[in-house]
Amino acid sequence: MSIVWKRGVELVLFILLLSFVSFVFVKLAPGDAVKQMLRSDDVAITSSEIKQQREALGLNEPVLVQYGSWLARLAQLDLGKSYMTNRPVSEELLHKMPATLLLAGSSLLILLLIAVPLGALSALYPNRFIDRASRLLAVMGTSIPSFWLGLLLIEGLSVRSGLLPSMGTGTPWHLVLPSLTLGLTMSAVYVRLIRSSLMDSLTQDFIRGARSRGIGSRNILLRHAFRHALTPVVTMFGVSVGSLLGGTVVIEVLFAYPGMGKFIVDAIQSRDYPVIQGYMVVMGIAVTLIHLLVDLANHALNPEMRLKGESR
């Protein structure tokens, strides 16, 4: 319970700092949101129209006053309205969020399906063929940028062979290439992490004690070694989920995938300040909550952490 309380306080402080810094930087960025709003190919924009729109949006106020007004609305769970669509930012984000969550979930599934068996086999059979092959794949995976891997997959599986669609959404097949791109890139890190963590776990005293008590190898591996090895993996997994939610921007743009990443890129290009601010706050809350879940999972998996928490 103390962890939940501590994380709750950290969440409030983090959101205040994040929102203030992002608000100031967005205001300092070059470009004019009002001109983007009023831009039209057929009609010239007059200075009086620009001035009138600025006053209507409160953009003539000092930055601190604008931030205070935005913060007051945030306290009422109001993220404002998009300059471009005039729809509530919360509705826009909720409309785009399922696509991003689906992409993140499918990418994590691919990660687990590749990294867990390869990492475990590599740890159980060190310096064998499977270990050398998985280490080579891990090095290659960490060396290849995700956007380049995405381009290779598009060229091989879409352009040349026509097996899979390269952009858009609508069918499960549209999800394969962006999920493979993210899952393959991240699984390389986890293969190495699971291998080293499991090898370290297998050398611990409690493993030797379990063997001396006649516990079978399968039970030792599944009930003792894996559980001990999961602590760093779970911690890294939480970081990956957070980076996935906020880091799918490049992949969503590359595959024209209509998620939150592509949405925020369009908002930045059009200087849609309320959308940018709302996205930053939602991502900050999501990442903090994920870290809270990781802490709770580590406490459940690691008896030493539970004892330290209870002794405080």
Side-chain angles (χ1 to χ4, degrees):
M1 191 64 186
S2 59
I3 298 176
V4 178
W5 171 252
K6 183 181 176 184
R7 288 297 187 186
V9 174
E10 288 177 357
L11 172 63
V12 174
L13 295 176
F14 176 65
I15 293 301
L16 285 174
L17 179 62
L18 175 68
S19 62
F20 178 74
V21 172
S22 61
F23 196 92
V24 171
F25 274 97
V26 166
K27 296 295 179 183
L28 292 176
D32 192 323
V34 174
K35 290 181 179 178
Q36 290 285 343
M37 290 175 62
L38 301 176
R39 176 177 290 175
S40 173
D41 293 334
D42 301 326
V43 182
I45 310 171
T46 64
S47 57
S48 62
E49 287 176 329
I50 295 175
K51 183 179 178 182
Q52 187 179 3
Q53 191 65 33
R54 281 182 178 283
E55 290 177 354
L57 296 173
L59 296 177
N60 287 332
E61 300 288 344
V63 173
L64 288 179
V65 175
Q66 293 182 44
Y67 177 70
S69 301
W70 178 84
L71 207 57
R73 290 196 299 273
L74 179 64
Q76 303 172 25
L77 303 180
D78 180 8
L79 295 176
K81 288 187 177 181
S82 166
Y83 288 169
M84 297 298 122
T85 64
N86 202 34
R87 292 180 59 191
V89 173
S90 54
E91 286 185 11
E92 295 277 17
L93 292 176
L94 285 174
H95 179 66
K96 302 291 182 183
M97 189 177 293
T100 295
L101 291 178
L102 186 61
L103 175 59
S106 57
S107 303
L108 290 173
L109 179 62
I110 291 173
L111 181 157
L112 293 175
L113 290 175
I114 294 174
V116 172
L118 271 184
L121 289 172
S122 186
L124 293 173
Y125 304 102
N127 297 321
R128 304 279 185 85
F129 171 76
I130 186 66
D131 182 32
R132 294 192 181 97
S134 64
R135 280 189 289 170
L136 178 62
L137 289 174
V139 171
M140 290 174 62
T142 51
S143 305
I144 298 176
S146 58
F147 71 91
W148 191 52
L149 178 61
L151 291 173
L152 291 178
L153 291 175
I154 290 174
E155 179 68 17
L157 298 178
S158 182
V159 176
R160 293 185 181 275
S161 64
L163 291 174
L164 294 167
S166 63
M167 60 180 60
T169 183
T171 68
W173 299 113
H174 287 86
L175 200 62
V176 175
L177 287 183
S179 302
L180 271 178
T181 304
L182 289 170
L184 288 173
T185 307
M186 290 191 304
S187 63
V189 177
Y190 281 86
V191 169
R192 300 179 67 176
L193 180 62
I194 292 173
R195 177 185 183 274
S196 62
S197 183
L198 191 56
M199 289 182 73
D200 176 67
S201 180
L202 290 170
T203 60
Q204 297 295 313
D205 290 339
F206 67 90
I207 296 293
R208 285 193 285 269
R211 284 185 178 134
S212 67
R213 293 196 300 275
I215 299 176
S217 299
R218 178 179 296 180
N219 282 336
I220 289 176
L221 178 66
L222 297 179
R223 299 183 60 182
H224 300 282
F226 255 124
R227 181 167 181 165
H228 181 268
L230 275 179
T231 302
V233 178
V234 169
T235 303
M236 187 69 184
F237 192 73
V239 175
S240 296
V241 173
S243 63
L244 254 182
L245 291 177
T248 58
V249 175
V250 175
I251 301 304
E252 288 187 4
V253 172
L254 179 64
F255 290 95
Y257 187 80
M260 293 178 68
K262 187 174 185 306
F263 180 58
I264 192 61
V265 169
D266 294 338
I268 292 171
Q269 289 176 340
S270 58
R271 308 294 187 273
D272 200 342
Y273 300 149
V275 171
I276 300 171
Q277 279 297 109
Y279 176 84
M280 297 291 286
V281 169
V282 170
M283 284 296 106
I285 293 173
V287 171
T288 307
L289 291 178
I290 289 166
H291 286 182
L292 169 62
L293 292 176
V294 168
D295 283 349
L296 294 175
N298 281 335
H299 272 69
L301 289 169
N302 194 333
E304 291 182 4
M305 293 184 70
R306 284 206 302 273
L307 292 174
K308 287 180 181 177
E310 290 170 358
S311 64
R312 288 176 184 171

